Amino acid sequence: PFDFVSVDGRARNESLWEALLEPSLVRPDYGMLLLDNAELDPKRMYAPVPRAHDPGWICVSFRSFLSETAIWMRCPEGRYDRGNCERARREIGRVMARPGMRSFVDGTRCAEEYGL
């Protein structure tokens, strides 16, 4: 598996399937998945993109005036690792809730994970 998998372009659904189905191309211990143009119609997304509040993934997404980029980090199963992921989730939530950041994250794919 890879530390980092980036998905963009015409074959995005096929690429997401390849990246996420077992055996996953994304490392199970803190591997990252980047989805460019994450704002595209979710009804056209057939691949199993991690959903908000999925305990196995941490999601961050940012939007410019043109597009949105979403980044997921995969969380391992162990108790110690789960604590690390919860801490990362809290810290990311604090940063995303800052007034200057709100315009970049409001309404994005991952915003509901942080109550935004």
Side-chain angles (χ1 to χ4, degrees):
F2 296 97
D3 291 334
F4 182 81
V5 175
S6 178
V7 175
D8 191 13
R10 286 185 238 172
R12 58 194 302 108
N13 281 319
E14 295 83 357
S15 298
L16 283 168
W17 278 106
E18 287 294 322
L20 293 171
L21 289 181
E22 295 300 327
S24 176
L25 293 178
V26 181
R27 281 182 62 146
D29 55 340
Y30 308 111
M32 298 181 79
L33 171 68
L34 180 139
L35 176 62
D36 200 20
N37 301 114
E39 81 284 355
L40 293 178
D41 184 2
K43 293 176 185 167
R44 291 179 27 208
M45 290 297 229
Y46 310 116
V49 175
R51 302 290 179 216
H53 304 293
D54 182 336
W57 295 87
I58 293 176
C59 183
V60 180
S61 53
F62 300 95
R63 177 177 45 204
S64 70
F65 64 95
L66 290 176
S67 66
E68 176 183 341
T69 299
I71 304 168
W72 289 270
M73 182 180 77
R74 199 162 185 188
C75 292
E77 294 293 322
R79 193 178 76 174
Y80 172 77
D81 294 317
R82 196 170 25 250
N84 285 340
C85 284
E86 288 305 315
R87 179 176 163 216
R89 191 173 273 120
R90 283 191 307 273
E91 290 177 8
I92 291 167
R94 277 198 295 269
V95 169
M96 291 177 74
R98 290 181 182 163
M101 291 294 292
R102 293 298 296 263
S103 63
F104 295 106
V105 298
D106 281 348
T108 61
R109 182 177 287 274
C110 303
E112 80 173 59
E113 182 163 338
Y114 302 98
L116 303 174

